[in-house]
Amino acid sequence: MGGSLDRLAVVVRPVNGYHPRVPIFPYNPNSPEGLAARWVQWAAATGPWRNPLLDRTGRYAHMRQPKDVWFLAGCFGGTVERRCTVPSDRPLFMPAFNMWCPNGTYIPPMPCAHGTVHVDGQQHPVVTIDAATMFDVRGALLNPVTRVRRAVPMRVWGIWALVDQLSPGAHTVRMDGTDGHGFTVTATYHLVTR
């Protein structure tokens, strides 16, 4: 995915008996909101047995990666440590903390949420992204995002980082996040960039 959105495909889906025309993908794919939405689509694209979100080792980090960016996955709480090889010609995009909400579910304000990303021990800037305009996610059966194959309207909010291409060699990326109310997530990647 890349470039401008000259043509938006539309779908018709009922909302309280009303059938609005809703863009399938309403964002520039390379905008912050577009990257966050694409990350959710990526997270849903693989079933539970080889899904990068559920992977404990990094064995499946390469699954369905796009050609212009490399997505790193967090987890569903707790701590995970993964190892993988990534191309040196792509930036990395990842959540320190995020929430996706299917079917227009309301995302409550999260003023206590916090996230950090460290690359090789150095703190990297993070930004809050609210992709509030719904976009469609069509995933694999039993995927951890939608659980179904049909298109599901989605929105996503989170604290994210975009890291420029890393030089060839070994690197460590650590993502830490919390909702501020006891839920925490930490994902550490030991990367070999080629």
Side-chain angles (χ1 to χ4, degrees):
M1 294 178 77
S4 64
L5 297 177
D6 296 326
R7 293 173 289 158
L8 287 178
V10 295
V11 295
V12 177
R13 86 171 58 81
V15 177
N16 296 330
Y18 175 66
H19 295 271
R21 291 173 59 85
V22 179
I24 289 176
F25 199 81
Y27 302 109
N28 177 317
N30 297 314
S31 69
E33 294 83 3
L35 286 168
R38 289 173 59 198
W39 184 95
V40 175
Q41 291 174 330
W42 167 77
T46 308
W49 296 277
R50 298 192 319 166
N51 190 285
L53 283 172
L54 303 173
D55 180 8
R56 303 304 297 175
T57 66
R59 180 178 179 184
Y60 302 116
H62 68 283
M63 296 298 294
R64 302 193 185 279
Q65 290 284 353
K67 296 193 183 303
D68 61 334
V69 65
W70 190 273
F71 293 132
L72 295 180
C75 60
F76 289 101
T79 301
V80 67
E81 194 163 347
R82 299 174 176 134
R83 298 178 185 284
C84 66
T85 300
V86 301
S88 61
D89 64 346
R90 294 189 216 172
L92 309 175
F93 185 75
M94 70 211 74
F97 177 82
N98 71 332
M99 294 177 56
W100 57 77
C101 294
N103 301 307
T105 308
Y106 174 66
I107 298 176
M110 302 198 71
C112 297
H114 178 70
T116 59
V117 169
H118 288 81
V119 178
D120 295 331
Q122 300 295 311
Q123 190 162 342
H124 190 80
V126 295
V127 295
T128 299
I129 300 172
D130 186 1
T133 301
M134 286 196 297
F135 55 94
D136 283 337
V137 175
R138 183 179 298 276
L141 183 63
L142 301 179
N143 74 80
V145 178
T146 66
R147 312 244 346 123
V148 297
R149 286 186 180 159
R150 65 176 165 72
V152 175
M154 189 75 62
R155 61 180 293 196
V156 64
W157 178 93
I159 301 166
W160 303 81
L162 178 63
V163 176
D164 287 337
Q165 297 98 326
L166 297 174
S167 61
H171 300 277
T172 301
V173 175
R174 179 180 166 131
M175 307 173 287
D176 294 286
T178 179
D179 65 357
H181 300 287
F183 175 83
T184 62
V185 58
T186 297
T188 302
Y189 278 86
H190 302 284
L191 304 177
V192 175
T193 307
R194 293 185 181 161

